[in-house]
Amino acid sequence: MSAGKSSLPPILLQSALALTLAVVSLDAIAQAYPSRPIRVIVPFTPGTGMDIIARNVGPKLADRLGQAVVIDNRPGASGNLGAELVARAAPDGYTLMVSGNPLIMSALLYPNVPFRPLTDFAPISLAAWGTLMLVANPATKLNSVADLIAQAKANPGKITYGSPGIGTPHHMSMELFKDLTGTNLLHVPYKGSAGAVTDVLGGQINVMFMPIHVGAQFVKAGRLKALAVGSAKRHPSAPDLPTLQELGVKGAEVDMWYGYLAPKNTPSPVIKKLDSELRAILEQPDVRTSFSAQGMDATSSTPVEFARLMQREDALWSAIIKKNNISAE
């Protein structure tokens, strides 16, 4: 065999060369990224959990990456408007999104949603968990989850519950509770949290799920009765409050989650780099303290772990929505 000539057949040589070029290209992408500002879309209004995460993490991410990180609130259609913008964005790592459970729930509830949460996004990392507390107005005399179940079964459709809107975690958590307990409560959806909280305080509605940091202040003041938390474990801020699971409502894990996503086909080295930087940021004590003050527990995950969570959530809420014929009216 002549020196310098390959013994590989031409087709294999071409394949090997293409693979080498692809690896070199991906390495080059990772090394060059980012070379311009990054936009982080928040598909809800300022002041929401997703927005708080984006605005706390954004400056730190900008410092670590050496590029500006611009927060862009695009509310509408229960988060679907902003999510569609991200789904259609160039998969180059310069358009990201902070989202949460509503990404899954709203896509299942609204007809003709132009994206699929499980296939049109590349999960990067979880950012935080939020705990929901089940509360009742004291005038209802509902002092426990057992009381709520008993009264709901004795008076189907008479006990009312509020939520910030159809398809929100607050709404879907109660639908799961109803399904697991065989009860029938009347849903009263509001346009945002403020109205629902005001009316459960005033007694116009009887019960609701609300973020623990919101509910705790009213429980402490005696204006609401705390019945349980929807998380898998008791929350440090309310260690004496049992979980729904402890009280016999098996399968009632209704934590809110938040995380970072990119458009599908974003290069894996970019996803890996962002995951690494976000993990480092989310472990910082000041970030954890800031999140905690807003009722959120900072966390992180691998892209694979995040994707598996989304798959489990999709299966859970799809079954609940179909079984109970829930729609975004």
Side-chain angles (χ1 to χ4, degrees), residues 189-211:
Y190 290 77
K191 293 183 178 180
S193 298
V197 171
T198 297
D199 280 2
V200 74
L201 288 169
Q204 286 80 16
I205 56 174
N206 303 136
V207 298
M208 72 175 289
F209 277 103
M210 64 174 61

mmCIF file of all heavy atoms in Angstrom, residues 189-211:
data_model
loop_
_atom_site.group_PDB
_atom_site.id
_atom_site.type_symbol
_atom_site.label_atom_id
_atom_site.label_comp_id
_atom_site.label_asym_id
_atom_site.label_seq_id
_atom_site.Cartn_x
_atom_site.Cartn_y
_atom_site.Cartn_z
ATOM 1 N N PRO A 189 -62.962 30.477 38.370
ATOM 2 C CA PRO A 189 -61.695 31.010 37.855
ATOM 3 C C PRO A 189 -61.666 32.533 37.858
ATOM 4 O O PRO A 189 -62.687 33.175 37.594
ATOM 5 C CB PRO A 189 -61.639 30.466 36.430
ATOM 6 C CG PRO A 189 -63.066 30.300 36.033
ATOM 7 C CD PRO A 189 -63.824 29.960 37.294
ATOM 8 N N TYR A 190 -60.515 33.103 38.160
ATOM 9 C CA TYR A 190 -60.322 34.553 38.147
ATOM 10 C C TYR A 190 -59.274 34.901 37.100
ATOM 11 O O TYR A 190 -58.588 34.019 36.576
ATOM 12 C CB TYR A 190 -59.851 35.036 39.526
ATOM 13 C CG TYR A 190 -60.924 34.955 40.594
ATOM 14 C CD1 TYR A 190 -61.257 33.725 41.167
ATOM 15 C CD2 TYR A 190 -61.587 36.095 41.039
ATOM 16 C CE1 TYR A 190 -62.231 33.637 42.150
ATOM 17 C CE2 TYR A 190 -62.570 36.016 42.030
ATOM 18 C CZ TYR A 190 -62.883 34.782 42.572
ATOM 19 O OH TYR A 190 -63.858 34.707 43.534
ATOM 20 N N LYS A 191 -59.166 36.173 36.811
ATOM 21 C CA LYS A 191 -58.124 36.641 35.892
ATOM 22 C C LYS A 191 -56.940 37.133 36.709
ATOM 23 O O LYS A 191 -56.737 38.331 36.890
ATOM 24 C CB LYS A 191 -58.666 37.742 34.979
ATOM 25 C CG LYS A 191 -59.724 37.234 34.002
ATOM 26 C CD LYS A 191 -60.187 38.338 33.062
ATOM 27 C CE LYS A 191 -61.198 37.800 32.056
ATOM 28 N NZ LYS A 191 -61.675 38.856 31.125
ATOM 29 N N GLY A 192 -56.195 36.191 37.258
ATOM 30 C CA GLY A 192 -55.058 36.526 38.096
ATOM 31 C C GLY A 192 -55.288 36.134 39.542
ATOM 32 O O GLY A 192 -56.423 35.846 39.969
ATOM 33 N N SER A 193 -54.212 36.150 40.318
ATOM 34 C CA SER A 193 -54.261 35.681 41.704
ATOM 35 C C SER A 193 -54.987 36.636 42.646
ATOM 36 O O SER A 193 -55.644 36.197 43.599
ATOM 37 C CB SER A 193 -52.839 35.458 42.231
ATOM 38 O OG SER A 193 -52.184 34.462 41.493
ATOM 39 N N ALA A 194 -54.854 37.949 42.411
ATOM 40 C CA ALA A 194 -55.360 38.936 43.373
ATOM 41 C C ALA A 194 -56.837 38.758 43.677
ATOM 42 O O ALA A 194 -57.254 38.761 44.843
ATOM 43 C CB ALA A 194 -55.082 40.350 42.871
ATOM 44 N N GLY A 195 -57.652 38.603 42.660
ATOM 45 C CA GLY A 195 -59.090 38.466 42.859
ATOM 46 C C GLY A 195 -59.457 37.198 43.613
ATOM 47 O O GLY A 195 -60.330 37.218 44.489
ATOM 48 N N ALA A 196 -58.769 36.109 43.291
ATOM 49 C CA ALA A 196 -59.058 34.846 43.965
ATOM 50 C C ALA A 196 -58.686 34.920 45.434
ATOM 51 O O ALA A 196 -59.450 34.473 46.306
ATOM 52 C CB ALA A 196 -58.294 33.706 43.274
ATOM 53 N N VAL A 197 -57.521 35.486 45.734
ATOM 54 C CA VAL A 197 -57.082 35.610 47.125
ATOM 55 C C VAL A 197 -58.038 36.516 47.904
ATOM 56 O O VAL A 197 -58.446 36.205 49.031
ATOM 57 C CB VAL A 197 -55.640 36.142 47.204
ATOM 58 C CG1 VAL A 197 -55.258 36.471 48.647
ATOM 59 C CG2 VAL A 197 -54.666 35.128 46.620
ATOM 60 N N THR A 198 -58.419 37.636 47.298
ATOM 61 C CA THR A 198 -59.345 38.568 47.951
ATOM 62 C C THR A 198 -60.664 37.896 48.302
ATOM 63 O O THR A 198 -61.196 38.072 49.406
ATOM 64 C CB THR A 198 -59.608 39.784 47.042
ATOM 65 O OG1 THR A 198 -58.382 40.489 46.842
ATOM 66 C CG2 THR A 198 -60.637 40.720 47.657
ATOM 67 N N ASP A 199 -61.176 37.087 47.388
ATOM 68 C CA ASP A 199 -62.485 36.488 47.614
ATOM 69 C C ASP A 199 -62.455 35.302 48.570
ATOM 70 O O ASP A 199 -63.445 35.029 49.250
ATOM 71 C CB ASP A 199 -63.125 36.094 46.283
ATOM 72 C CG ASP A 199 -63.750 37.296 45.582
ATOM 73 O OD1 ASP A 199 -63.648 38.417 46.123
ATOM 74 O OD2 ASP A 199 -64.319 37.122 44.487
ATOM 75 N N VAL A 200 -61.354 34.575 48.646
ATOM 76 C CA VAL A 200 -61.299 33.515 49.659
ATOM 77 C C VAL A 200 -61.134 34.138 51.046
ATOM 78 O O VAL A 200 -61.672 33.642 52.040
ATOM 79 C CB VAL A 200 -60.180 32.488 49.358
ATOM 80 C CG1 VAL A 200 -58.797 33.032 49.660
ATOM 81 C CG2 VAL A 200 -60.405 31.196 50.161
ATOM 82 N N LEU A 201 -60.449 35.274 51.121
ATOM 83 C CA LEU A 201 -60.337 35.996 52.388
ATOM 84 C C LEU A 201 -61.698 36.556 52.819
ATOM 85 O O LEU A 201 -62.034 36.580 54.002
ATOM 86 C CB LEU A 201 -59.328 37.135 52.266
ATOM 87 C CG LEU A 201 -57.849 36.739 52.193
ATOM 88 C CD1 LEU A 201 -56.992 37.936 51.800
ATOM 89 C CD2 LEU A 201 -57.377 36.168 53.529
ATOM 90 N N GLY A 202 -62.466 37.003 51.837
ATOM 91 C CA GLY A 202 -63.770 37.590 52.133
ATOM 92 C C GLY A 202 -64.885 36.583 52.296
ATOM 93 O O GLY A 202 -65.996 36.949 52.679
ATOM 94 N N GLY A 203 -64.610 35.317 51.978
ATOM 95 C CA GLY A 203 -65.623 34.285 52.132
ATOM 96 C C GLY A 203 -66.516 34.094 50.930
ATOM 97 O O GLY A 203 -67.451 33.288 50.971
ATOM 98 N N GLN A 204 -66.241 34.816 49.838
ATOM 99 C CA GLN A 204 -67.055 34.620 48.630
ATOM 100 C C GLN A 204 -66.780 33.255 47.996
ATOM 101 O O GLN A 204 -67.635 32.686 47.323
ATOM 102 C CB GLN A 204 -66.777 35.732 47.605
ATOM 103 C CG GLN A 204 -67.387 37.071 47.961
ATOM 104 C CD GLN A 204 -66.565 37.846 48.977
ATOM 105 O OE1 GLN A 204 -65.397 37.528 49.201
ATOM 106 N NE2 GLN A 204 -67.169 38.843 49.608
ATOM 107 N N ILE A 205 -65.573 32.748 48.182
ATOM 108 C CA ILE A 205 -65.269 31.373 47.799
ATOM 109 C C ILE A 205 -64.731 30.669 49.040
ATOM 110 O O ILE A 205 -64.249 31.304 49.980
ATOM 111 C CB ILE A 205 -64.262 31.278 46.625
ATOM 112 C CG1 ILE A 205 -62.973 32.021 46.947
ATOM 113 C CG2 ILE A 205 -64.888 31.774 45.343
ATOM 114 C CD1 ILE A 205 -61.907 31.838 45.874
ATOM 115 N N ASN A 206 -64.796 29.339 49.037
ATOM 116 C CA ASN A 206 -64.533 28.582 50.265
ATOM 117 C C ASN A 206 -63.077 28.157 50.447
ATOM 118 O O ASN A 206 -62.524 28.290 51.543
ATOM 119 C CB ASN A 206 -65.420 27.332 50.295
ATOM 120 C CG ASN A 206 -66.902 27.645 50.187
ATOM 121 O OD1 ASN A 206 -67.632 26.977 49.454
ATOM 122 N ND2 ASN A 206 -67.375 28.667 50.899
ATOM 123 N N VAL A 207 -62.494 27.625 49.401
ATOM 124 C CA VAL A 207 -61.146 27.064 49.521
ATOM 125 C C VAL A 207 -60.344 27.367 48.271
ATOM 126 O O VAL A 207 -60.897 27.734 47.219
ATOM 127 C CB VAL A 207 -61.174 25.524 49.735
ATOM 128 C CG1 VAL A 207 -61.895 25.161 51.018
ATOM 129 C CG2 VAL A 207 -61.831 24.825 48.539
ATOM 130 N N MET A 208 -59.023 27.194 48.362
ATOM 131 C CA MET A 208 -58.186 27.265 47.165
ATOM 132 C C MET A 208 -56.767 26.805 47.493
ATOM 133 O O MET A 208 -56.373 26.770 48.663
ATOM 134 C CB MET A 208 -58.156 28.671 46.560
ATOM 135 C CG MET A 208 -57.369 29.712 47.330
ATOM 136 S SD MET A 208 -57.280 31.324 46.466
ATOM 137 C CE MET A 208 -56.186 30.948 45.076
ATOM 138 N N PHE A 209 -56.046 26.451 46.465
ATOM 139 C CA PHE A 209 -54.608 26.251 46.579
ATOM 140 C C PHE A 209 -53.947 27.601 46.306
ATOM 141 O O PHE A 209 -54.303 28.280 45.342
ATOM 142 C CB PHE A 209 -54.104 25.240 45.550
ATOM 143 C CG PHE A 209 -54.256 23.805 45.959
ATOM 144 C CD1 PHE A 209 -55.271 23.020 45.441
ATOM 145 C CD2 PHE A 209 -53.364 23.230 46.850
ATOM 146 C CE1 PHE A 209 -55.405 21.692 45.798
ATOM 147 C CE2 PHE A 209 -53.486 21.897 47.230
ATOM 148 C CZ PHE A 209 -54.504 21.129 46.703
ATOM 149 N N MET A 210 -52.975 27.988 47.139
ATOM 150 C CA MET A 210 -52.215 29.194 46.873
ATOM 151 C C MET A 210 -50.758 28.968 47.280
ATOM 152 O O MET A 210 -50.481 28.088 48.109
ATOM 153 C CB MET A 210 -52.809 30.404 47.595
ATOM 154 C CG MET A 210 -52.780 30.356 49.091
ATOM 155 S SD MET A 210 -53.359 31.923 49.870
ATOM 156 C CE MET A 210 -55.043 32.049 49.272
ATOM 157 N N PRO A 211 -49.823 29.709 46.705
ATOM 158 C CA PRO A 211 -48.421 29.562 47.085
ATOM 159 C C PRO A 211 -48.248 29.716 48.585
ATOM 160 O O PRO A 211 -48.882 30.579 49.203
ATOM 161 C CB PRO A 211 -47.730 30.685 46.316
ATOM 162 C CG PRO A 211 -48.593 30.901 45.121
ATOM 163 C CD PRO A 211 -49.999 30.692 45.612
#
